[in-house]
């Protein structure tokens, strides 16, 4: 790393040398190890552990198709060569803080089993210029597969999943057929394709890091809490080993061809006065209770869970969202001896939209597994969502939301 003092001493002669040689601005950026004054117009992608340097002065005029957030042309050039990652992330107290959620574009949260929630997080625009650690990666669940299917064969990232759970070679399954996630992925044509299961990829994109929380708790975590993934290695593996980019392996279908984007708007300059949103998933699991507190200056909701602020381990920032949607759905389960749960996100229902310090009663509809979930007001008018990170909280019908 070049020190600030040394950088000043060598900058002018180096600039003259580069200019006389006719070397591009991109080379200047490389030689100065990240010192930039304008956007980088190239389709370069960040190396594992690194980033593409984007000037803070570069125009933000490229809209992310997932959440409407505005980015630079360089970041758009990168994400348009890819398709979204939909990663399964754990949320048990022993695994917190989670790594990567503040780089996600959309985050879904629902109970996996036993009142323990899990995240299904989409990574696309927010990780375009920076390699991002995603952790802890956990197993596939049917509820999340049904939601991931809206994104037209995303890179579905997980470690194993609910399955037949048979002790006799599959003759007698002990799991309910409705929640056999791995068998479902096989029937949908995802296994060995856009399905990036750690059990099949291993160290090429994942690694076990049981010391990921060492600085916070002073000890290693259990084996199941230590599986991490690199966003850049996942994109690279999908491209080089599975032929999945923005196009499918045939090279003919772009993932966005059948994708329906929601409608976005800028945040209101006159926010409402609803400052706190509070709810739980199961009464028996208060450590998963959520509070979102609206920060007027940031025009964002700040997350607390289990009575404490929730953070992203990658940079120590408090988890935040510009939009919080509560989606009420029918809860089924436990369905078998493994206590598997299923939440019916296909169909219709009601919900609540929180943005701009306001609350709006809404309706949702999702025609089938691959259809987009459409959110409307109670009169059927499609909603405009604020630009920025969106959290969709999947709650059982009848759960109380206080605001």
């Amino acid at each position: 790393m070049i020190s600030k003092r040394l950088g000043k001493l060598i900058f002018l002669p180096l600039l003259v040398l580069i200019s006389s040689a006719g070397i591009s601005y991109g080379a200047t950026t490389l030689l100065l190890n990240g010192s930039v004054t304008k956007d980088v117009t190239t389709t370069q992608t960040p190396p594992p552990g690194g980033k593409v340097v984007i000037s803070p002065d570069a125009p933000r005029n490229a809209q992310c198709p997932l959440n409407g957030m505005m980015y630079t042309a360089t970041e758009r050039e990168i994400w348009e060569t890819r398709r979204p990652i939909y990663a399964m992330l754990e949320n048990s107290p022993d695994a917190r803080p989670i790594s990567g959620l503040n780089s996600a574009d959309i985050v879904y949260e629902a109970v996996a089993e036993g009142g323990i929630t899990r995240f299904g997080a989409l990574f696309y625009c927010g990780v375009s210029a920076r390699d991002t650690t995603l952790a802890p990666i956990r197993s596939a669940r049917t509820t999340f597969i049904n939601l991931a299917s809206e994104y037209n064969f995303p890179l579905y990232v997980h470690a194993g999943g609910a399955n037949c759970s048979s002790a006799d070679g599959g003759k007698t399954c002990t799991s309910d057929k409705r929640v056999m996630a791995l068998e479902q992925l096989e029937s949908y044509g995802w296994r060995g394709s856009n399905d990036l299961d750690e059990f099949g990829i291993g160290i090429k994109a994942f690694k076990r890091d049981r010391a990921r929380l060492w600085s916070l708790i002073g000890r290693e975590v259990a084996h199941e809490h230590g599986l991490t993934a690199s966003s850049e290695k996942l994109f690279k593996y999908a491209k080089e080993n599975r032929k999945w980019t923005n196009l499918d392996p045939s090279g003919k279908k772009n993932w966005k061809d059948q994708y329906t984007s929601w409608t976005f708007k800028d945040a209101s300059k006159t926010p409402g006065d609803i400052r706190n949103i509070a709810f739980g998933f199961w009464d028996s699991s208060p450590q998963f209770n959520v509070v979102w507190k609206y920060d007027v200056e940031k025009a964002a909701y700040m997350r607390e869970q289990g009575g404490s602020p929730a953070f992203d381990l990658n940079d120590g920032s408090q988890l935040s969202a510009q939009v919080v949607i509560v989606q009420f759905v029918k809860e089924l389960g436990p369905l078998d001896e493994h206590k598997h749960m299923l939440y019916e996100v296909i169909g219709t229902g009601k919900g609540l939209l929180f943005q701009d310090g306001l609350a709006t009663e809404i309706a949702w509809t999702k025609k089938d597994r691959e259809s987009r979930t459409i959110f409307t007001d109670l009169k059927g008018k499609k909603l405009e969502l604020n630009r920025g990170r969106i959290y969709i909280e999947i709650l059982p019908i009848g759960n109380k939301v206080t605001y």
Side-chain angles (χ1 to χ4, degrees), residues 195-206 234 237 242:
D195 176 51
L196 303 187
D197 186 345
E198 184 264 344
F199 291 167
I201 297 175
I203 61 174
K204 292 182 179 180
F206 301 85
L234 290 168
Y237 182 89
R242 301 285 181 81

Side-chain angles (χ1 to χ4, degrees), residues 67-292:
N67 64 13
M69 188 175 287
M70 305 304 289
Y71 291 88
T72 64
T74 293
E75 289 162 296
R76 179 177 58 195
E77 288 177 6
I78 295 171
W79 80 54
E80 285 187 343
T81 66
R82 301 167 166 176
R83 62 186 51 234
I85 289 171
Y86 190 105
M88 298 301 307
L89 298 178
E90 183 183 2
N91 189 34
S92 68
D94 289 340
R96 300 174 190 164
I98 314 305
S99 301
L101 286 178
N102 268 358
S103 297
D105 303 309
I106 302 173
V107 179
Y108 296 88
E109 183 177 18
V111 169
E113 67 267 323
I116 301 172
T117 67
R118 190 164 296 179
F119 298 112
L122 281 148
F123 298 93
Y124 185 58
C125 306
V127 298
S128 56
R130 180 190 298 271
D131 185 21
T132 303
T133 298
L134 316 180
I137 303 295
R138 288 305 295 264
S139 57
R141 290 291 184 272
T142 298
T143 299
F144 293 97
I145 295 172
N146 289 339
L147 293 166
S149 296
E150 296 188 19
Y151 298 93
N152 198 11
F153 291 87
L155 305 178
Y156 187 57
V157 176
H158 61 102
N163 54 45
C164 176
S165 300
S166 171
D168 56 8
K171 296 179 181 178
T172 306
C173 293
T174 57
S175 297
D176 188 288
K177 185 177 181 179
R178 290 170 289 180
V179 289
M180 292 183 191
L182 297 188
E183 286 81 359
Q184 290 162 355
L185 291 171
E186 183 72 38
S187 69
Y188 302 154
W190 290 24
R191 294 292 277 172
S193 187
N194 63 301
D195 176 51
L196 303 187
D197 186 345
E198 184 264 344
F199 291 167
I201 297 175
I203 61 174
K204 292 182 179 180
F206 301 85
K207 73 173 183 178
R208 293 283 173 179
D209 182 9
R210 293 183 58 188
R212 60 179 290 272
L213 299 181
W214 185 273
S215 62
L216 296 176
I217 63 177
R219 60 176 173 81
E220 291 188 342
V221 298
H223 181 76
E224 64 268 23
H225 304 319
L227 183 61
T228 72
S230 153
S231 61
E232 282 304 310
K233 288 183 179 179
L234 290 168
F235 285 125
K236 181 179 180 181
Y237 182 89
K239 178 181 179 179
E240 296 182 353
N241 296 79
R242 301 285 181 81
K243 309 304 179 186
W244 285 96
T245 59
N246 59 313
L247 304 177
D248 69 1
S250 73
K252 298 178 181 179
K253 296 180 180 180
N254 192 307
W255 79 272
K256 289 194 296 185
D257 291 344
Q258 297 178 354
Y259 171 71
T260 301
S261 178
W262 294 321
T263 302
F264 304 105
K265 70 177 187 67
D266 295 330
S268 173
K269 296 181 180 179
T270 56
D273 57 4
I274 295 176
R275 297 289 179 261
N276 295 334
I277 312 161
F279 55 85
F281 292 86
W282 283 18
D283 291 341
S284 59
S285 302
Q287 63 271 43
F288 295 93
N289 289 354
V290 174
V291 175
W292 288 100

